[in-house]
């Protein structure tokens, strides 16, 4: 047997932090912690706002690392990878302290700012350089701070994405990545550098943009203080950093043009790798730099997001006072259909899928004499699956061939009903893998450190759990058509 070689992966979500120790020689995880046990709170001071405290993220990571330290030899870890919730704005002062709470991915306060800015940006810049409308992304959120909180804005030393903040807390070095700047809509795909036009339109001083490091490779040594606190060896490095959706794709070995990943956590995302620079003038599909992009091979990720996914299922669990997701899944399967009940999971702010409109969530057709908890749960799972199918149809209209989708065996994909509804309404083959975001980040660290020589080596031991094929004539396709007909009235 080969000697174990360990790497650490940190996956910062908006619900929790997951940290995994991964044995790269065996290709498997050996220990994982999730913190906190209950979901992190998203603070919404006003309608459409969504904030979290970056220092609380760091508290959760510290707590998770101390749990791992109590039962593992942390000096055996060779390097660290970081995955994080995309699009958030973290603004720090010259001492490295957050000035304001992070304005996270699902916050919609800057929608109008993005729309206004789009009118002032040359069409050729949108189509050929930034490949996105400014929308509600990080640059627009920063402009919102400028327009509404000038005192805080004046104190900004550097801006970051959430993963950049975690890397900073661990290394003491302030940096960002090409993929991070692309998800903030500040990257120029033509010059492979920060886009000056977007900075000028938003009046952003280039000095607040951190130094840029590669997504995969040396991103700095952990500080001696961090090494001593958590038991790491000195000079251990961070060697991988990317947003949660590129990382989910990486975790599933989705690295080359035409390969597709999906996830259904807090939000639902379909992510397709391409070697083309693609621009959707309606902003429904976004192009970001994939984590394995390099000068030798262009790799972009086409990302389609539905904000209200797992958060909708969590809300239903809370409202119905259900004890566990497993029991909810079981209740969804004891009935044959939803008896005409339709659920629309778009209650988590504006949706890019609908041109940044907020169409709200809807439970349609509820009959007090007919429907019970099982029908509500089943219709919720179907509604989320159907929203993903709606996105698949859009990708196909864009010329993307969607035949096989890879997912981790986690979150909503643990539900048989959800899997069946998605596979049969979208007419896709679904491949389930035994992996997750924190394992993917650790695997990325192993690749970035040079332990794995190639991407092929990194995934040689990744195991598929099962493959699910669509069933011709299955009822979910018909139910999806009815679901979509009503959606067209809402949108």
């Amino acid at each position: 047997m080969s000697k174990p070689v360990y790497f650490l992966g940190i996956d910062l979500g908006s619900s929790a932090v997951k940290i995994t120790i991964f044995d790269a020689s065996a290709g498997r995880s050996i220990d994982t912690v999730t913190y906190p046990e209950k979901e992190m709170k998203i603070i919404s001071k006003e309608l459409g706002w969504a904030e979290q405290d970056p220092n609380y993220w760091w508290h959760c990571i510290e707590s998770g690392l101390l749990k791992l330290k109590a039962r593992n030899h942390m000096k055996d870890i060779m390097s660290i990878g970081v995955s994080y919730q995309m699009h958030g704005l973290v603004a720090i002062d010259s001492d490295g302290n957050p000035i304001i709470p992070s304005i996270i991915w699902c916050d919609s306060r800057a929608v109008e700012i993005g729309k206004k800015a789009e009118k002032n940006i040359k069409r050729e810049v949108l189509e050929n350089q930034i490949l996105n409308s400014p929308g509600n992304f990080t640059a627009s959120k920063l402009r919102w701070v400028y327009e509404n909180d000038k005192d805080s804005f004046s104190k900004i030393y550097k801006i970051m994405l959430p993963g950049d903040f975690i890397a900073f807390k661990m290394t003491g070095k302030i940096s960002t990545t090409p993929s991070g700047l692309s998800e903030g809509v500040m990257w120029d795909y033509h010059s492979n550098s920060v886009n000056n036009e977007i900075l000028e339109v938003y009046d952003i001083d280039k000095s607040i943009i951190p130094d840029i490091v590669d997504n995969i490779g040396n991103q700095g040594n952990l500080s001696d203080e961090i090494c001593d606190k958590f038991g790491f060896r000195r000079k251990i490095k961070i060697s991988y950093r990317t947003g949660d959706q590129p990382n989910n794709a990486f975790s599933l070995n989705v690295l080359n043009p035409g390969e597709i990943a999906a996830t259904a956590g807090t939000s639902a995302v379909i992510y397709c790798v391409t070697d083309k620079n693609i621009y959707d003038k309606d902003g429904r599909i976004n192009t970001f730099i994939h984590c394995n992009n390099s000068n030798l091979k262009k790799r972009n990720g086409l990302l389609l997001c539905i904000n209200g996914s797992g958060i909708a299922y969590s809300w239903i669990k809370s409202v119905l006072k259900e004890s566990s997701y497993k029991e909810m899944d079981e209740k969804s399967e004891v009935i044959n259909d939803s008896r005409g009940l339709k659920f629309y999971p778009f209650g988590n702010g504006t949706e890019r899928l609908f041109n940044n409109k907020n169409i709200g969530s809807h439970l349609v057709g509820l009959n007090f004499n007919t429907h019970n908890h099982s029908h509500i749960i089943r219709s919720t799972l179907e509604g989320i699956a159907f929203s993903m199918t709606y996105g698949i149809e859009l990708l196909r209209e864009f010329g993307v061939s969607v035949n096989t989708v890879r997912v981790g065996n986690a979150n909503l994909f643990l539900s048989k009903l959800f899997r069946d509804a998605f596979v049969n309404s979208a007419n896709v083959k679904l491949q389930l893998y035994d992996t997750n975001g924190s394992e993917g980040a650790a695997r990325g660290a192993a690749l970035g450190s040079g332990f794995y020589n190639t991407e092929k080596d990194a995934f040689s031991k990744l195991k598929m759990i099962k493959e699910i094929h669509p069933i011709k004539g299955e009822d979910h396709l018909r139910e999806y058509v009815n679901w979509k007909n009503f959606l067209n009235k809402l949108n």
Side-chain angles (χ1 to χ4, degrees):
M1 290 181 64
S2 56
K3 182 180 177 181
V5 183
Y6 299 127
F7 294 86
L8 185 85
I10 299 171
D11 185 22
L12 168 63
S14 48
S15 299
V17 172
K18 182 175 282 189
I19 309 174
T20 289
I21 298 175
F22 175 73
D23 180 356
S25 57
R28 63 182 181 86
S29 298
I30 65 161
D31 198 1
T32 296
V33 298
T34 300
Y35 194 93
E37 293 181 2
K38 293 185 178 180
E39 292 183 357
M40 289 186 200
K41 289 184 178 180
I42 295 177
I43 303 162
S44 185
K45 297 175 184 175
E46 296 190 29
L47 185 64
W49 288 26
E51 299 177 339
Q52 289 182 325
D53 179 3
N55 285 325
Y56 183 66
W57 297 338
W58 179 239
H59 164 74
C60 292
I61 290 171
E62 286 185 309
S63 300
L65 288 173
L66 290 172
K67 281 189 173 185
L68 284 175
K69 179 185 177 183
R71 58 197 193 214
N72 294 280
H73 296 290
M74 302 296 271
K75 286 190 183 298
D76 292 338
I77 292 167
M78 304 299 291
S79 72
I80 295 172
V82 177
S83 165
Y84 60 90
Q85 48 171 292
M86 296 172 72
H87 313 304
L89 170 66
V90 179
I92 62 168
D93 61 22
S94 57
D95 293 323
N97 298 314
I99 298 166
I100 56 174
S102 175
I103 304 174
I104 68 170
W105 59 277
C106 55
D107 187 291
S108 56
R109 74 184 72 177
V111 169
E112 294 305 316
I113 288 174
K115 289 180 180 178
K116 180 180 177 181
E118 184 174 0
K119 296 176 182 177
N120 296 320
I121 299 174
K122 297 173 186 175
R123 181 57 52 181
E124 64 189 54
V125 172
L126 293 172
E127 293 181 0
N128 300 317
Q129 293 181 27
I130 61 175
L131 303 184
N132 291 290
S133 66
N136 190 39
F137 296 112
T138 313
S140 298
K141 291 168 181 170
L142 178 61
R143 180 67 188 185
W144 185 93
V145 178
Y146 173 81
E147 293 182 4
N148 295 273
D149 188 358
K150 281 189 168 56
D151 181 58
S152 293
F153 188 88
S154 68
K155 298 174 184 175
I156 295 176
Y157 173 63
K158 296 289 181 183
I159 60 167
M160 302 175 169
L161 281 301
D164 302 337
F165 180 74
I166 300 309
F168 163 64
K169 294 293 286 186
M170 300 189 84
T171 65
K173 296 179 180 179
I174 301 172
S175 63
T176 190
T177 63
S179 69
L181 290 170
S182 75
E183 71 187 66
V185 191
M186 290 179 277
W187 188 254
D188 191 319
Y189 288 78
H190 182 71
S191 65
N192 288 321
S193 62
V194 178
N195 182 268
N196 290 320
E197 178 105 2
I198 195 80
L199 299 187
E200 290 174 8
V201 168
Y202 278 150
D203 196 20
I204 298 172
D205 189 327
K206 198 171 185 177
S207 67
I208 69 172
I209 306 295
D211 293 338
I212 302 170
V213 298
D214 291 337
N215 287 87
I216 302 177
N218 182 6
Q219 299 180 13
N221 295 337
L222 269 61
S223 68
D224 290 348
E225 179 185 357
I226 292 297
C227 290
D228 293 343
K229 182 171 185 176
F230 300 112
F232 297 121
R233 66 177 69 189
R234 295 289 179 95
K235 307 299 183 184
I236 184 176
K237 300 181 188 301
I238 292 179
S239 53
Y240 173 90
R241 186 192 330 169
T242 196
D244 51 7
Q245 297 310 324
N247 180 67
N248 180 63
F250 179 88
S251 306
L252 296 162
N253 193 21
V254 171
L255 301 171
N256 297 302
E259 296 175 343
I260 299 172
T263 183
T266 303
S267 61
V269 172
I270 303 158
Y271 188 97
C272 175
V273 176
T274 179
D275 57 3
K276 296 178 174 58
N277 288 344
I278 293 176
Y279 170 70
D280 175 13
K281 63 181 179 61
D282 295 317
R284 301 159 299 174
I285 297 172
N286 298 106
T287 298
F288 303 121
I289 292 177
H290 195 31
C291 54
N292 68 331
N293 180 70
S294 70
N295 293 330
L296 298 177
K297 59 180 183 183
K298 180 187 290 185
R299 293 292 183 269
N300 292 330
L302 294 180
L303 187 151
L304 190 149
C305 178
I306 298 104
N307 285 345
S309 173
I311 195 168
Y313 203 42
S314 172
W315 185 84
I316 289 291
K317 177 176 179 287
S318 174
V319 169
L320 298 183
K321 301 189 183 325
E322 294 288 341
S323 59
S324 72
Y325 290 118
K326 183 179 179 182
E327 288 186 16
M328 290 172 70
D329 294 344
E330 290 171 351
K331 286 184 178 181
S332 74
E333 295 176 28
V334 298
I335 54 176
N336 294 323
D337 59 59
S338 298
R339 295 275 189 95
L341 193 61
K342 300 181 184 68
F343 182 80
Y344 296 84
F346 307 114
N348 198 27
T350 60
E351 293 280 359
R352 280 175 259 162
L353 197 60
F354 308 120
N355 305 108
N356 276 323
K357 286 194 292 187
N358 188 343
I359 67 171
S361 183
H362 301 266
L363 187 63
V364 179
L366 182 64
N367 185 303
F368 302 137
N369 300 311
T370 302
H371 298 122
N372 56 32
H373 280 208
S374 291
H375 296 102
I376 294 172
I377 293 167
R378 185 180 179 103
S379 69
T380 302
L381 288 169
E382 289 173 339
I384 299 167
F386 292 163
S387 71
M388 295 182 71
T389 295
Y390 189 82
I392 293 279
E393 286 188 346
L394 178 58
L395 284 170
R396 285 171 175 155
E397 290 173 10
F398 230 78
V400 178
S401 178
V402 186
N403 299 309
T404 301
V405 177
R406 299 178 194 173
V407 301
N409 190 36
N411 299 321
L412 288 173
F413 284 105
L414 291 169
S415 164
K416 180 181 183 301
L417 175 73
F418 182 81
R419 295 194 302 262
D420 289 346
F422 175 62
V423 165
N424 290 295
S425 61
N427 191 30
V428 295
K429 179 170 61 178
L430 189 69
Q431 295 179 338
L432 272 76
Y433 288 85
D434 184 18
T435 188
N436 57 55
S438 55
E439 180 179 302
R443 197 185 294 267
L447 180 62
S449 71
F451 176 81
Y452 292 129
N453 292 319
T454 65
E455 292 169 357
K456 184 177 180 180
D457 292 340
F459 294 95
S460 62
K461 296 179 181 178
L462 180 66
K463 300 297 183 184
M464 183 169 66
I465 299 172
K466 66 171 67 174
E467 188 172 80
I468 303 168
H469 294 255
I471 300 171
K472 189 174 181 179
E474 206 268 353
D475 286 343
H476 275 123
L477 180 57
R478 172 179 51 80
E479 292 171 7
Y480 168 67
V481 172
N482 293 331
W483 181 91
K484 185 173 71 169
N485 286 339
F486 189 82
L487 175 64
N488 291 335
K489 298 176 184 179
L490 293 174
N491 181 21

